[in-house]
Structures are given as C-alpha cells and as structure tokens.
PDB file of all heavy atoms in Angstrom:
ATOM      1  N   ASP A   1      11.463 -20.295   2.608  1.00 89.00           N
ATOM      2  CA  ASP A   1      12.175 -20.133   3.897  1.00 89.00           C
ATOM      3  C   ASP A   1      11.920 -18.790   4.568  1.00 89.00           C
ATOM      4  O   ASP A   1      12.516 -18.499   5.584  1.00 89.00           O
ATOM      5  CB  ASP A   1      13.678 -20.354   3.717  1.00 89.00           C
ATOM      6  CG  ASP A   1      14.255 -19.480   2.637  1.00 89.00           C
ATOM      7  OD1 ASP A   1      13.577 -18.511   2.200  1.00 89.00           O
ATOM      8  OD2 ASP A   1      15.420 -19.707   2.242  1.00 89.00           O
ATOM      9  N   GLN A   2      11.053 -17.979   3.957  1.00 89.00           N
ATOM     10  CA  GLN A   2      10.710 -16.641   4.487  1.00 89.00           C
ATOM     11  C   GLN A   2      11.898 -15.710   4.610  1.00 89.00           C
ATOM     12  O   GLN A   2      11.889 -14.818   5.446  1.00 89.00           O
ATOM     13  CB  GLN A   2       9.954 -16.769   5.804  1.00 89.00           C
ATOM     14  CG  GLN A   2       8.649 -17.549   5.721  1.00 89.00           C
ATOM     15  CD  GLN A   2       7.900 -17.644   7.029  1.00 89.00           C
ATOM     16  OE1 GLN A   2       8.193 -16.903   7.968  1.00 89.00           O
ATOM     17  NE2 GLN A   2       6.943 -18.492   7.108  1.00 89.00           N
ATOM     18  N   LYS A   3      12.908 -15.922   3.773  1.00 89.00           N
ATOM     19  CA  LYS A   3      14.060 -15.068   3.789  1.00 89.00           C
ATOM     20  C   LYS A   3      13.788 -13.758   3.056  1.00 89.00           C
ATOM     21  O   LYS A   3      13.104 -13.739   2.025  1.00 89.00           O
ATOM     22  CB  LYS A   3      15.287 -15.756   3.198  1.00 89.00           C
ATOM     23  CG  LYS A   3      15.936 -16.753   4.116  1.00 89.00           C
ATOM     24  CD  LYS A   3      17.301 -17.198   3.625  1.00 89.00           C
ATOM     25  CE  LYS A   3      17.989 -18.088   4.633  1.00 89.00           C
ATOM     26  NZ  LYS A   3      19.326 -18.521   4.156  1.00 89.00           N
ATOM     27  N   LEU A   4      14.307 -12.663   3.594  1.00 90.00           N
ATOM     28  CA  LEU A   4      14.131 -11.338   3.010  1.00 90.00           C
ATOM     29  C   LEU A   4      14.899 -11.235   1.718  1.00 90.00           C
ATOM     30  O   LEU A   4      16.133 -11.425   1.703  1.00 90.00           O
ATOM     31  CB  LEU A   4      14.566 -10.264   4.052  1.00 90.00           C
ATOM     32  CG  LEU A   4      14.331  -8.815   3.698  1.00 90.00           C
ATOM     33  CD1 LEU A   4      12.854  -8.530   3.674  1.00 90.00           C
ATOM     34  CD2 LEU A   4      14.987  -7.922   4.742  1.00 90.00           C
ATOM     35  N   ARG A   5      14.221 -10.920   0.608  1.00 92.00           N
ATOM     36  CA  ARG A   5      14.895 -10.767  -0.681  1.00 92.00           C
ATOM     37  C   ARG A   5      15.368  -9.316  -0.896  1.00 92.00           C
ATOM     38  O   ARG A   5      16.495  -9.043  -1.226  1.00 92.00           O
ATOM     39  CB  ARG A   5      13.960 -11.195  -1.790  1.00 92.00           C
ATOM     40  CG  ARG A   5      13.590 -12.686  -1.778  1.00 92.00           C
ATOM     41  CD  ARG A   5      12.682 -13.033  -2.950  1.00 92.00           C
ATOM     42  NE  ARG A   5      13.393 -12.793  -4.215  1.00 92.00           N
ATOM     43  CZ  ARG A   5      12.747 -12.556  -5.355  1.00 92.00           C
ATOM     44  NH1 ARG A   5      11.416 -12.521  -5.411  1.00 92.00           N
ATOM     45  NH2 ARG A   5      13.442 -12.369  -6.469  1.00 92.00           N
ATOM     46  N   PHE A   6      14.439  -8.361  -0.765  1.00 91.00           N
ATOM     47  CA  PHE A   6      14.766  -6.963  -0.917  1.00 91.00           C
ATOM     48  C   PHE A   6      13.649  -6.135  -0.273  1.00 91.00           C
ATOM     49  O   PHE A   6      12.606  -6.652   0.101  1.00 91.00           O
ATOM     50  CB  PHE A   6      14.935  -6.584  -2.390  1.00 91.00           C
ATOM     51  CG  PHE A   6      13.712  -6.780  -3.229  1.00 91.00           C
ATOM     52  CD1 PHE A   6      12.741  -5.783  -3.333  1.00 91.00           C
ATOM     53  CD2 PHE A   6      13.540  -7.943  -3.949  1.00 91.00           C
ATOM     54  CE1 PHE A   6      11.608  -5.938  -4.082  1.00 91.00           C
ATOM     55  CE2 PHE A   6      12.347  -8.117  -4.705  1.00 91.00           C
ATOM     56  CZ  PHE A   6      11.426  -7.133  -4.788  1.00 91.00           C
ATOM     57  N   GLY A   7      13.889  -4.830  -0.121  1.00 91.00           N
ATOM     58  CA  GLY A   7      12.893  -3.972   0.486  1.00 91.00           C
ATOM     59  C   GLY A   7      12.875  -2.593  -0.141  1.00 91.00           C
ATOM     60  O   GLY A   7      13.802  -2.202  -0.854  1.00 91.00           O
ATOM     61  N   ILE A   8      11.788  -1.887   0.115  1.00 92.00           N
ATOM     62  CA  ILE A   8      11.655  -0.482  -0.357  1.00 92.00           C
ATOM     63  C   ILE A   8      11.094   0.335   0.799  1.00 92.00           C
ATOM     64  O   ILE A   8      10.497  -0.183   1.733  1.00 92.00           O
ATOM     65  CB  ILE A   8      10.755  -0.355  -1.586  1.00 92.00           C
ATOM     66  CG1 ILE A   8       9.321  -0.780  -1.271  1.00 92.00           C
ATOM     67  CG2 ILE A   8      11.296  -1.144  -2.761  1.00 92.00           C
ATOM     68  CD1 ILE A   8       8.330  -0.500  -2.359  1.00 92.00           C
ATOM     69  N   ASN A   9      11.319   1.643   0.734  1.00 92.00           N
ATOM     70  CA  ASN A   9      10.842   2.584   1.760  1.00 92.00           C
ATOM     71  C   ASN A   9      10.344   3.812   1.032  1.00 92.00           C
ATOM     72  O   ASN A   9      11.108   4.546   0.384  1.00 92.00           O
ATOM     73  CB  ASN A   9      11.995   2.916   2.712  1.00 92.00           C
ATOM     74  CG  ASN A   9      11.541   3.886   3.807  1.00 92.00           C
ATOM     75  OD1 ASN A   9      10.348   4.257   3.885  1.00 92.00           O
ATOM     76  ND2 ASN A   9      12.479   4.247   4.673  1.00 92.00           N
ATOM     77  N   LEU A  10       9.040   4.074   1.115  1.00 93.00           N
ATOM     78  CA  LEU A  10       8.402   5.276   0.552  1.00 93.00           C
ATOM     79  C   LEU A  10       8.208   6.306   1.603  1.00 93.00           C
ATOM     80  O   LEU A  10       7.604   5.988   2.658  1.00 93.00           O
ATOM     81  CB  LEU A  10       7.104   4.934  -0.137  1.00 93.00           C
ATOM     82  CG  LEU A  10       7.091   3.841  -1.247  1.00 93.00           C
ATOM     83  CD1 LEU A  10       5.694   3.645  -1.782  1.00 93.00           C
ATOM     84  CD2 LEU A  10       8.072   4.200  -2.353  1.00 93.00           C
ATOM     85  N   GLU A  11       8.669   7.527   1.422  1.00 92.00           N
ATOM     86  CA  GLU A  11       8.510   8.553   2.458  1.00 92.00           C
ATOM     87  C   GLU A  11       8.282   9.931   1.744  1.00 92.00           C
ATOM     88  O   GLU A  11       9.213  10.480   1.193  1.00 92.00           O
ATOM     89  CB  GLU A  11       9.727   8.652   3.357  1.00 92.00           C
ATOM     90  CG  GLU A  11       9.576   9.644   4.494  1.00 92.00           C
ATOM     91  CD  GLU A  11      10.674   9.587   5.527  1.00 92.00           C
ATOM     92  OE1 GLU A  11      11.571   8.759   5.374  1.00 92.00           O
ATOM     93  OE2 GLU A  11      10.632  10.398   6.494  1.00 92.00           O
ATOM     94  N   PHE A  12       7.068  10.350   1.839  1.00 92.00           N
ATOM     95  CA  PHE A  12       6.690  11.687   1.322  1.00 92.00           C
ATOM     96  C   PHE A  12       5.290  12.037   1.850  1.00 92.00           C
ATOM     97  O   PHE A  12       4.515  11.130   2.156  1.00 92.00           O
ATOM     98  CB  PHE A  12       6.714  11.732  -0.227  1.00 92.00           C
ATOM     99  CG  PHE A  12       5.962  10.589  -0.892  1.00 92.00           C
ATOM    100  CD1 PHE A  12       4.610  10.660  -1.163  1.00 92.00           C
ATOM    101  CD2 PHE A  12       6.653   9.440  -1.276  1.00 92.00           C
ATOM    102  CE1 PHE A  12       3.934   9.625  -1.743  1.00 92.00           C
ATOM    103  CE2 PHE A  12       5.989   8.384  -1.906  1.00 92.00           C
ATOM    104  CZ  PHE A  12       4.609   8.499  -2.141  1.00 92.00           C
ATOM    105  N   PRO A  13       4.945  13.290   1.961  1.00 92.00           N
ATOM    106  CA  PRO A  13       3.674  13.689   2.557  1.00 92.00           C
ATOM    107  C   PRO A  13       2.497  13.171   1.691  1.00 92.00           C
ATOM    108  O   PRO A  13       2.608  13.082   0.435  1.00 92.00           O
ATOM    109  CB  PRO A  13       3.736  15.218   2.518  1.00 92.00           C
ATOM    110  CG  PRO A  13       5.155  15.570   2.431  1.00 92.00           C
ATOM    111  CD  PRO A  13       5.816  14.461   1.664  1.00 92.00           C
ATOM    112  N   TRP A  14       1.385  12.851   2.343  1.00 92.00           N
ATOM    113  CA  TRP A  14       0.208  12.415   1.625  1.00 92.00           C
ATOM    114  C   TRP A  14      -0.510  13.625   1.051  1.00 92.00           C
ATOM    115  O   TRP A  14      -0.691  14.638   1.748  1.00 92.00           O
ATOM    116  CB  TRP A  14      -0.744  11.630   2.550  1.00 92.00           C
ATOM    117  CG  TRP A  14      -1.938  11.087   1.803  1.00 92.00           C
ATOM    118  CD1 TRP A  14      -2.031   9.871   1.214  1.00 92.00           C
ATOM    119  CD2 TRP A  14      -3.165  11.724   1.580  1.00 92.00           C
ATOM    120  NE1 TRP A  14      -3.261   9.709   0.630  1.00 92.00           N
ATOM    121  CE2 TRP A  14      -4.001  10.848   0.857  1.00 92.00           C
ATOM    122  CE3 TRP A  14      -3.716  12.970   1.945  1.00 92.00           C
ATOM    123  CZ2 TRP A  14      -5.307  11.167   0.444  1.00 92.00           C
ATOM    124  CZ3 TRP A  14      -5.028  13.276   1.572  1.00 92.00           C
ATOM    125  CH2 TRP A  14      -5.812  12.400   0.824  1.00 92.00           C
ATOM    126  N   GLU A  15      -0.938  13.517  -0.174  1.00 92.00           N
ATOM    127  CA  GLU A  15      -1.706  14.557  -0.837  1.00 92.00           C
ATOM    128  C   GLU A  15      -2.809  13.914  -1.680  1.00 92.00           C
ATOM    129  O   GLU A  15      -2.554  12.912  -2.343  1.00 92.00           O
ATOM    130  CB  GLU A  15      -0.837  15.459  -1.739  1.00 92.00           C
ATOM    131  CG  GLU A  15       0.138  16.321  -1.000  1.00 92.00           C
ATOM    132  CD  GLU A  15       0.951  17.198  -1.944  1.00 92.00           C
ATOM    133  OE1 GLU A  15       0.747  17.105  -3.175  1.00 92.00           O
ATOM    134  OE2 GLU A  15       1.781  17.986  -1.458  1.00 92.00           O
ATOM    135  N   GLN A  16      -3.997  14.485  -1.637  1.00 93.00           N
ATOM    136  CA  GLN A  16      -5.080  13.979  -2.476  1.00 93.00           C
ATOM    137  C   GLN A  16      -4.738  14.122  -3.925  1.00 93.00           C
ATOM    138  O   GLN A  16      -4.193  15.128  -4.359  1.00 93.00           O
ATOM    139  CB  GLN A  16      -6.383  14.728  -2.135  1.00 93.00           C
ATOM    140  CG  GLN A  16      -7.633  14.149  -2.749  1.00 93.00           C
ATOM    141  CD  GLN A  16      -7.868  14.599  -4.188  1.00 93.00           C
ATOM    142  OE1 GLN A  16      -7.485  15.677  -4.568  1.00 93.00           O
ATOM    143  NE2 GLN A  16      -8.485  13.707  -4.978  1.00 93.00           N
ATOM    144  N   ASN A  17      -5.076  13.049  -4.721  1.00 93.00           N
ATOM    145  CA  ASN A  17      -4.740  13.035  -6.110  1.00 93.00           C
ATOM    146  C   ASN A  17      -5.854  12.311  -6.869  1.00 93.00           C
ATOM    147  O   ASN A  17      -6.169  11.135  -6.537  1.00 93.00           O
ATOM    148  CB  ASN A  17      -3.377  12.329  -6.317  1.00 93.00           C
ATOM    149  CG  ASN A  17      -2.967  12.335  -7.760  1.00 93.00           C
ATOM    150  OD1 ASN A  17      -3.454  11.575  -8.550  1.00 93.00           O
ATOM    151  ND2 ASN A  17      -1.967  13.183  -8.076  1.00 93.00           N
ATOM    152  N   ASP A  18      -6.415  12.936  -7.887  1.00 92.00           N
ATOM    153  CA  ASP A  18      -7.537  12.336  -8.629  1.00 92.00           C
ATOM    154  C   ASP A  18      -7.132  11.058  -9.286  1.00 92.00           C
ATOM    155  O   ASP A  18      -7.903  10.068  -9.316  1.00 92.00           O
ATOM    156  CB  ASP A  18      -8.084  13.314  -9.617  1.00 92.00           C
ATOM    157  CG  ASP A  18      -8.792  14.517  -9.010  1.00 92.00           C
ATOM    158  OD1 ASP A  18      -9.206  14.396  -7.824  1.00 92.00           O
ATOM    159  OD2 ASP A  18      -8.961  15.548  -9.688  1.00 92.00           O
ATOM    160  N   SER A  19      -5.916  11.032  -9.844  1.00 91.00           N
ATOM    161  CA  SER A  19      -5.469   9.802 -10.532  1.00 91.00           C
ATOM    162  C   SER A  19      -5.320   8.659  -9.547  1.00 91.00           C
ATOM    163  O   SER A  19      -5.677   7.502  -9.863  1.00 91.00           O
ATOM    164  CB  SER A  19      -4.125  10.097 -11.229  1.00 91.00           C
ATOM    165  OG  SER A  19      -4.245  11.062 -12.225  1.00 91.00           O
ATOM    166  N   MET A  20      -4.742   8.945  -8.355  1.00 92.00           N
ATOM    167  CA  MET A  20      -4.589   7.891  -7.350  1.00 92.00           C
ATOM    168  C   MET A  20      -5.954   7.433  -6.841  1.00 92.00           C
ATOM    169  O   MET A  20      -6.123   6.215  -6.547  1.00 92.00           O
ATOM    170  CB  MET A  20      -3.709   8.411  -6.200  1.00 92.00           C
ATOM    171  CG  MET A  20      -2.256   8.529  -6.571  1.00 92.00           C
ATOM    172  SD  MET A  20      -1.495   6.975  -7.104  1.00 92.00           S
ATOM    173  CE  MET A  20      -1.601   5.982  -5.609  1.00 92.00           C
ATOM    174  N   ASP A  21      -6.900   8.344  -6.720  1.00 91.00           N
ATOM    175  CA  ASP A  21      -8.248   7.966  -6.307  1.00 91.00           C
ATOM    176  C   ASP A  21      -8.812   6.931  -7.281  1.00 91.00           C
ATOM    177  O   ASP A  21      -9.453   5.945  -6.878  1.00 91.00           O
ATOM    178  CB  ASP A  21      -9.166   9.195  -6.250  1.00 91.00           C
ATOM    179  CG  ASP A  21      -8.876  10.062  -5.046  1.00 91.00           C
ATOM    180  OD1 ASP A  21      -8.364   9.532  -4.073  1.00 91.00           O
ATOM    181  OD2 ASP A  21      -9.199  11.280  -5.096  1.00 91.00           O
ATOM    182  N   SER A  22      -8.618   7.184  -8.571  1.00 90.00           N
ATOM    183  CA  SER A  22      -9.132   6.274  -9.582  1.00 90.00           C
ATOM    184  C   SER A  22      -8.394   4.932  -9.567  1.00 90.00           C
ATOM    185  O   SER A  22      -9.011   3.866  -9.648  1.00 90.00           O
ATOM    186  CB  SER A  22      -8.986   6.922 -10.969  1.00 90.00           C
ATOM    187  OG  SER A  22      -9.432   6.035 -11.976  1.00 90.00           O
ATOM    188  N   LEU A  23      -7.064   4.980  -9.397  1.00 87.00           N
ATOM    189  CA  LEU A  23      -6.252   3.768  -9.445  1.00 87.00           C
ATOM    190  C   LEU A  23      -6.539   2.865  -8.214  1.00 87.00           C
ATOM    191  O   LEU A  23      -6.473   1.641  -8.328  1.00 87.00           O
ATOM    192  CB  LEU A  23      -4.806   4.124  -9.485  1.00 87.00           C
ATOM    193  CG  LEU A  23      -4.264   4.641 -10.838  1.00 87.00           C
ATOM    194  CD1 LEU A  23      -2.833   5.167 -10.674  1.00 87.00           C
ATOM    195  CD2 LEU A  23      -4.303   3.552 -11.878  1.00 87.00           C
ATOM    196  N   THR A  24      -6.837   3.477  -7.076  1.00 87.00           N
ATOM    197  CA  THR A  24      -7.012   2.689  -5.836  1.00 87.00           C
ATOM    198  C   THR A  24      -8.433   2.414  -5.457  1.00 87.00           C
ATOM    199  O   THR A  24      -8.725   1.820  -4.449  1.00 87.00           O
ATOM    200  CB  THR A  24      -6.327   3.465  -4.634  1.00 87.00           C
ATOM    201  OG1 THR A  24      -6.962   4.741  -4.509  1.00 87.00           O
ATOM    202  CG2 THR A  24      -4.839   3.644  -4.913  1.00 87.00           C
ATOM    203  N   LYS A  25      -9.353   2.781  -6.338  1.00 85.00           N
ATOM    204  CA  LYS A  25     -10.787   2.615  -6.024  1.00 85.00           C
ATOM    205  C   LYS A  25     -11.154   1.176  -5.794  1.00 85.00           C
ATOM    206  O   LYS A  25     -11.991   0.859  -4.941  1.00 85.00           O
ATOM    207  CB  LYS A  25     -11.627   3.211  -7.204  1.00 85.00           C
ATOM    208  CG  LYS A  25     -13.103   3.196  -6.951  1.00 85.00           C
ATOM    209  CD  LYS A  25     -13.837   4.084  -7.964  1.00 85.00           C
ATOM    210  CE  LYS A  25     -13.523   3.662  -9.382  1.00 85.00           C
ATOM    211  NZ  LYS A  25     -14.298   4.465 -10.365  1.00 85.00           N
ATOM    212  N   SER A  26     -10.541   0.279  -6.524  1.00 79.00           N
ATOM    213  CA  SER A  26     -10.869  -1.188  -6.387  1.00 79.00           C
ATOM    214  C   SER A  26      -9.955  -1.901  -5.421  1.00 79.00           C
ATOM    215  O   SER A  26     -10.054  -3.118  -5.286  1.00 79.00           O
ATOM    216  CB  SER A  26     -10.820  -1.842  -7.774  1.00 79.00           C
ATOM    217  OG  SER A  26      -9.519  -1.739  -8.315  1.00 79.00           O
ATOM    218  N   LEU A  27      -9.032  -1.172  -4.761  1.00 75.00           N
ATOM    219  CA  LEU A  27      -8.074  -1.848  -3.899  1.00 75.00           C
ATOM    220  C   LEU A  27      -8.729  -2.413  -2.654  1.00 75.00           C
ATOM    221  O   LEU A  27      -8.356  -3.479  -2.144  1.00 75.00           O
ATOM    222  CB  LEU A  27      -6.961  -0.869  -3.466  1.00 75.00           C
ATOM    223  CG  LEU A  27      -5.755  -1.461  -2.723  1.00 75.00           C
ATOM    224  CD1 LEU A  27      -5.077  -2.560  -3.555  1.00 75.00           C
ATOM    225  CD2 LEU A  27      -4.778  -0.359  -2.340  1.00 75.00           C
ATOM    226  N   GLY A  28      -9.763  -1.748  -2.159  1.00 63.00           N
ATOM    227  CA  GLY A  28     -10.430  -2.262  -0.964  1.00 63.00           C
ATOM    228  C   GLY A  28      -9.735  -1.904   0.319  1.00 63.00           C
ATOM    229  O   GLY A  28      -8.603  -1.430   0.320  1.00 63.00           O
ATOM    230  N   LYS A  29     -10.408  -2.202   1.443  1.00 61.00           N
ATOM    231  CA  LYS A  29      -9.849  -1.911   2.746  1.00 61.00           C
ATOM    232  C   LYS A  29      -8.876  -2.984   3.155  1.00 61.00           C
ATOM    233  O   LYS A  29      -8.951  -4.137   2.689  1.00 61.00           O
ATOM    234  CB  LYS A  29     -10.964  -1.805   3.784  1.00 61.00           C
ATOM    235  CG  LYS A  29     -11.833  -0.566   3.649  1.00 61.00           C
ATOM    236  CD  LYS A  29     -11.030   0.650   4.029  1.00 61.00           C
ATOM    237  CE  LYS A  29     -11.901   1.921   4.002  1.00 61.00           C
ATOM    238  NZ  LYS A  29     -11.147   3.128   4.369  1.00 61.00           N
ATOM    239  N   GLN A  30      -7.987  -2.649   4.035  1.00 58.00           N
ATOM    240  CA  GLN A  30      -7.017  -3.617   4.598  1.00 58.00           C
ATOM    241  C   GLN A  30      -7.783  -4.647   5.406  1.00 58.00           C
ATOM    242  O   GLN A  30      -8.544  -4.315   6.283  1.00 58.00           O
ATOM    243  CB  GLN A  30      -6.041  -2.844   5.472  1.00 58.00           C
ATOM    244  CG  GLN A  30      -4.988  -3.676   6.132  1.00 58.00           C
ATOM    245  CD  GLN A  30      -4.096  -2.777   6.969  1.00 58.00           C
ATOM    246  OE1 GLN A  30      -3.723  -1.655   6.594  1.00 58.00           O
ATOM    247  NE2 GLN A  30      -3.746  -3.253   8.166  1.00 58.00           N
ATOM    248  N   GLY A  31      -7.546  -5.928   5.116  1.00 54.00           N
ATOM    249  CA  GLY A  31      -8.248  -6.993   5.843  1.00 54.00           C
ATOM    250  C   GLY A  31      -7.625  -7.246   7.215  1.00 54.00           C
ATOM    251  O   GLY A  31      -6.535  -6.802   7.525  1.00 54.00           O
ATOM    252  N   LYS A  32      -8.369  -7.971   8.041  1.00 53.00           N
ATOM    253  CA  LYS A  32      -7.920  -8.297   9.402  1.00 53.00           C
ATOM    254  C   LYS A  32      -7.196  -9.617   9.379  1.00 53.00           C
ATOM    255  O   LYS A  32      -7.607 -10.545   8.717  1.00 53.00           O
ATOM    256  CB  LYS A  32      -9.091  -8.327  10.394  1.00 53.00           C
ATOM    257  CG  LYS A  32      -9.707  -6.962  10.617  1.00 53.00           C
ATOM    258  CD  LYS A  32     -10.794  -7.061  11.692  1.00 53.00           C
ATOM    259  CE  LYS A  32     -11.395  -5.676  11.996  1.00 53.00           C
ATOM    260  NZ  LYS A  32     -12.434  -5.759  13.039  1.00 53.00           N
ATOM    261  N   LEU A  33      -6.134  -9.705  10.184  1.00 50.00           N
ATOM    262  CA  LEU A  33      -5.315 -10.922  10.194  1.00 50.00           C
ATOM    263  C   LEU A  33      -6.102 -12.101  10.791  1.00 50.00           C
ATOM    264  O   LEU A  33      -5.924 -13.237  10.371  1.00 50.00           O
ATOM    265  CB  LEU A  33      -4.046 -10.685  11.033  1.00 50.00           C
ATOM    266  CG  LEU A  33      -3.057  -9.698  10.425  1.00 50.00           C
ATOM    267  CD1 LEU A  33      -1.963  -9.382  11.416  1.00 50.00           C
ATOM    268  CD2 LEU A  33      -2.473 -10.253   9.154  1.00 50.00           C
ATOM    269  N   THR A  34      -7.011 -11.811  11.740  1.00 47.00           N
ATOM    270  CA  THR A  34      -7.821 -12.865  12.316  1.00 47.00           C
ATOM    271  C   THR A  34      -8.723 -13.505  11.256  1.00 47.00           C
ATOM    272  O   THR A  34      -8.988 -14.681  11.284  1.00 47.00           O
ATOM    273  CB  THR A  34      -8.642 -12.355  13.503  1.00 47.00           C
ATOM    274  OG1 THR A  34      -9.323 -11.145  13.088  1.00 47.00           O
ATOM    275  CG2 THR A  34      -7.762 -11.989  14.691  1.00 47.00           C
ATOM    276  N   VAL A  35      -9.236 -12.666  10.341  1.00 44.00           N
ATOM    277  CA  VAL A  35     -10.108 -13.178   9.277  1.00 44.00           C
ATOM    278  C   VAL A  35      -9.305 -14.059   8.319  1.00 44.00           C
ATOM    279  O   VAL A  35      -9.747 -15.112   7.887  1.00 44.00           O
ATOM    280  CB  VAL A  35     -10.762 -12.006   8.498  1.00 44.00           C
ATOM    281  CG1 VAL A  35     -11.520 -12.544   7.309  1.00 44.00           C
ATOM    282  CG2 VAL A  35     -11.643 -11.208   9.416  1.00 44.00           C
ATOM    283  N   LEU A  36      -8.073 -13.611   7.994  1.00 46.00           N
ATOM    284  CA  LEU A  36      -7.196 -14.403   7.111  1.00 46.00           C
ATOM    285  C   LEU A  36      -6.931 -15.760   7.725  1.00 46.00           C
ATOM    286  O   LEU A  36      -6.995 -16.803   7.044  1.00 46.00           O
ATOM    287  CB  LEU A  36      -5.886 -13.650   6.911  1.00 46.00           C
ATOM    288  CG  LEU A  36      -4.736 -14.435   6.226  1.00 46.00           C
ATOM    289  CD1 LEU A  36      -5.142 -14.745   4.804  1.00 46.00           C
ATOM    290  CD2 LEU A  36      -3.441 -13.631   6.278  1.00 46.00           C
TER     291      LEU A  36
END
C-alpha cells in the first residue's frame, strides 16, 4: 500500500574517506527514472 514505515535523516559534512571509497566502489551511478 506504499505506506511509510519509518525514516532516517543523515546530516553531516562530506569528507573524503579511503574506507568509504572502497565500500562504494561497486555502488555505481544513480540511474535515471526514465530508464527504470
């Protein structure tokens, strides 16, 4: 029914991080809704 179950909000400055670079390497770019 597309009802909202729960939510989160992340708020902090972006900083380069080697560990995050490694973890997100395979995440890929955000796709386009028209393609979906």
